[in-house]
Amino acid sequence: MMAEPRIPYPQGDSDPAALNIERMFGHIADDLRPGFSALARAVMHTKSLDPLLREIAILRVGHLSNCAYEQFQHQAFARYLGMAEDKIQAIKTTPDNPIFDAKEKAIMRFVDELVRDVRPSDAALTEMRAHFGIEGTFTTLIAACQYMTVSRILETTGVPIEASDSIGLGRLKNTQAEIAAQ
């Protein structure tokens, strides 16, 4: 693990309760930060995609993007949501792994093609629509693209992984409580 990021954290950054990614996002221009944060919250709060399926998409993006930070945080989220460890590890294999059901395979194929080819094939898109409809397909597309952006920011800036996943899990628990209250 890196001790220091490739790009230093903003001057005056000293919140010990902040995730390293949150600290780095202090560099986002003031006029972009609210929109960027709103999209991230919306992806994590959406009711149009099961949270476990969302985590499969995010973890697959993190794996394909070689983004250790994203994988670390979202593996913890997936565990918290009840995903079995063997499934979490299988996300690093192939969409055809028999551990995955048809919906999970569809998401993995779609994300693979989105990350690798930019434009998923007609077959991958048809499979997604069959399982998730247009709204669920769009939700998956937006979630995957948002985490492609995050992965690229993390890798470009070299944000180091926290020593513990407890801060990120605390954020997830707060998010889950907010969703339940709605």
Side-chain angles (χ1 to χ4, degrees):
M1 282 187 239
M2 293 178 282
E4 292 295 321
R6 294 176 69 205
I7 294 177
Y9 295 114
Q11 293 289 329
D13 169 69
S14 62
D15 182 359
L19 289 165
N20 290 339
I21 188 173
E22 293 168 333
R23 295 171 62 203
M24 187 59 71
F25 283 178
H27 285 302
I28 297 174
D30 290 342
D31 59 342
L32 292 176
R33 192 176 302 117
F36 187 82
S37 296
L39 177 59
R41 274 192 311 279
V43 166
M44 293 302 288
H45 283 87
T46 186
K47 293 180 181 179
S48 62
L49 184 63
D50 178 274
L52 286 170
L53 294 171
R54 177 199 67 221
E55 290 306 315
I56 287 173
I58 293 169
L59 284 167
R60 192 66 177 175
V61 167
H63 168 69
L64 296 170
S65 301
N66 296 312
C67 185
Y69 188 97
E70 201 63 57
Q71 292 177 73
F72 175 80
Q73 291 296 347
H74 284 274
Q75 285 173 355
F77 290 1
R79 285 183 197 102
Y80 172 77
L81 294 171
M83 189 181 297
E85 189 64 33
D86 56 345
K87 189 170 277 189
I88 291 169
Q89 295 309 315
I91 292 168
K92 298 174 189 174
T93 66
T94 172
D96 295 321
N97 189 316
I99 197 168
F100 299 114
D101 66 25
K103 284 184 171 185
E104 295 164 340
K105 288 176 180 181
I107 280 189
M108 287 188 50
R109 284 188 193 100
F110 183 75
V111 169
D112 281 10
E113 292 183 16
L114 181 64
V115 172
R116 183 186 64 229
D117 305 328
V118 180
R119 182 179 194 245
S121 66
D122 290 344
L125 184 58
T126 298
E127 186 179 21
M128 280 295 292
R129 289 185 61 191
H131 287 289
F132 300 100
I134 293 173
E135 182 178 286
T137 300
F138 258 86
T139 300
T140 304
L141 175 63
I142 290 167
C145 289
Q146 196 264 339
Y147 277 93
M148 287 168 63
T149 299
V150 169
S151 291
R152 279 135 185 88
I153 292 170
L154 287 164
E155 287 302 302
T156 298
T157 61
V159 173
I161 297 172
E162 284 81 10
S164 166
D165 63 10
S166 63
I167 297 172
L169 280 175
R171 298 285 193 286
L172 178 67
K173 290 175 184 176
N174 290 340
T175 298
Q176 296 301 93
E178 290 172 18
I179 292 169
Q182 293 177 351

